[in-house]
Amino acid sequence: VPVLLFVAAPYIRRYVAGGRCKSTARLEGKVVIITGANTGIGKATARDLAQRGKCSARVIIACRDIAKGEAAASEIRAETGNQQVIVKKLDLADTKSIREFAEKFLAEEKELHVLINNAGVMLCPYSKTADGFEMHLGVNHLGHFLLTFLLLECLKQSAPARIVNVSSLAHHGGRIRFHDLHGEKSYNRGLAYCHSKLANVLFTRELARRLQGKFQRQVGFTANALHPGSVSSELVRHSFVMTWLWKVFSFFLKTPCEGAQTSIYCAVAEELDSVTGQYFSDCQPAYVSPRGRDDETAKKLWSVSCELLGIQWD
């Protein structure tokens, strides 16, 4: 058995690694924002996008921990030679921070070509954001919903542009519980994560529908979601059991670089220039749960999200 495992190991790893982004698209002169890019797949995504072209993209690492962000940016600048990898403060658990980030970005930058809503929390004990939203819903969905809203006009004016939402296979286990969105009546942190990932899929679907029409067809303004795979990262840090399991079974998990491939694919692949409202895994279209294809729920979630955030997004 040990011999068989040794022989099979490279094939198992190749299978676990999944699809790779084969696009060689260059990003000269482009501006990219990646939330949560100080670690994990966000950092790996930033590294890849930062080295696409001689005159590389301006990659903005938007994260809560500035010290970790600066360390990641310094590492990426050294590895890629791209000195335009910069860090900006963004706390998705606080709408004030989100608005401040957007205001500063719009004051300093003229264009935005790719927005990758990558940051997320998972398996948090029950807690709320600064605005009273359940943490998973607040960070994973509402925070990115508001950020996208605030940057949308800049994206439109910079088009062709792409919005990439990092969701998860876990959306299959989610449902939008409008009667108890913030888990005050009942709370399960595993299901709360699933609910928020379903919200990512529904947000992407409704956003793409709203972007479609004459404008979208002319300039290729797209929004897509993805499942990165089971990745060895800090995402499970709130669960001792999951952290232990992740270490024990790390051989069967994707590395951050492998997990970033579908994010990169959605951000740069030429064949996706006019593809919008879709869900990908391993750099190819993937199955969406029936709840993730429910247009009425998507529209209602959009409306409720706007109401919670105090915005009008028609």
Side-chain angles (χ1 to χ4, degrees), residues 26 45 90 116 119 135 151-152 189 200 213 226 243 245 254-255 270 278 299 307:
R26 299 160 76 87
T45 302
L90 173 64
I116 302 180
M135 190 62 70
L151 298 177
L152 192 69
R189 56 185 179 173
N200 292 154
L226 65 101
T243 300
L245 288 173
K254 290 185 178 184
T255 65
E270 299 90 339
Q278 301 303 305
K299 291 174 185 177
E307 184 179 337

Side-chain angles (χ1 to χ4, degrees), residues 294-307:
D294 189 327
D295 289 332
E296 291 307 309
T297 300
K299 291 174 185 177
K300 185 175 180 180
L301 178 63
W302 184 285
S303 177
V304 170
S305 298
C306 287
E307 184 179 337

Side-chain angles (χ1 to χ4, degrees), residues 154-211:
C154 186
L155 282 158
K156 283 184 178 180
Q157 292 168 14
S158 308
R162 300 187 185 190
I163 298 168
V164 180
N165 294 324
V166 178
S167 180
S168 170
L169 181 69
H171 85 271
H172 286 270
R175 64 174 61 209
I176 306 302
R177 304 168 70 246
F178 289 109
H179 67 286
D180 189 25
L181 274 178
H182 304 296
E184 294 170 328
K185 297 178 181 178
S186 64
Y187 179 75
N188 176 289
R189 56 185 179 173
L191 289 177
Y193 176 73
C194 295
H195 301 334
S196 71
K197 294 291 100 178
L198 174 60
N200 292 154
V201 173
L202 292 170
F203 168 45
T204 304
R205 187 177 184 87
E206 181 63 9
L207 176 59
R209 186 188 70 81
R210 288 167 178 259
L211 292 177

Side-chain angles (χ1 to χ4, degrees), residues 112-257:
L112 176 59
H113 304 93
V114 182
L115 171 61
I116 302 180
N117 291 319
N118 163 82
V121 294
M122 180 180 180
L123 302 176
C124 297
Y126 188 76
S127 56
K128 289 188 175 182
T129 68
D131 301 273
F133 309 139
E134 186 277 316
M135 190 62 70
H136 293 89
L137 182 76
V139 171
N140 297 353
H141 169 60
L142 292 172
H144 284 127
F145 188 96
L146 178 60
L147 180 65
T148 304
F149 166 75
L150 295 171
L151 298 177
L152 192 69
E153 285 306 314
C154 186
L155 282 158
K156 283 184 178 180
Q157 292 168 14
S158 308
R162 300 187 185 190
I163 298 168
V164 180
N165 294 324
V166 178
S167 180
S168 170
L169 181 69
H171 85 271
H172 286 270
R175 64 174 61 209
I176 306 302
R177 304 168 70 246
F178 289 109
H179 67 286
D180 189 25
L181 274 178
H182 304 296
E184 294 170 328
K185 297 178 181 178
S186 64
Y187 179 75
N188 176 289
R189 56 185 179 173
L191 289 177
Y193 176 73
C194 295
H195 301 334
S196 71
K197 294 291 100 178
L198 174 60
N200 292 154
V201 173
L202 292 170
F203 168 45
T204 304
R205 187 177 184 87
E206 181 63 9
L207 176 59
R209 186 188 70 81
R210 288 167 178 259
L211 292 177
Q212 282 180 329
K214 184 177 179 181
F215 178 82
Q216 189 271 339
R217 286 199 302 270
Q218 286 182 338
V219 300
F221 189 11
T222 65
N224 289 299
L226 65 101
H227 167 56
S230 297
V231 183
S232 179
S233 71
E234 296 179 7
L235 193 60
V236 296
R237 62 186 178 276
H238 293 290
S239 170
F240 172 80
V241 173
M242 289 298 291
T243 300
W244 181 79
L245 288 173
W246 248 229
K247 288 181 179 179
V248 171
F249 295 103
S250 60
F251 181 80
F252 300 98
L253 298 175
K254 290 185 178 184
T255 65
C257 180

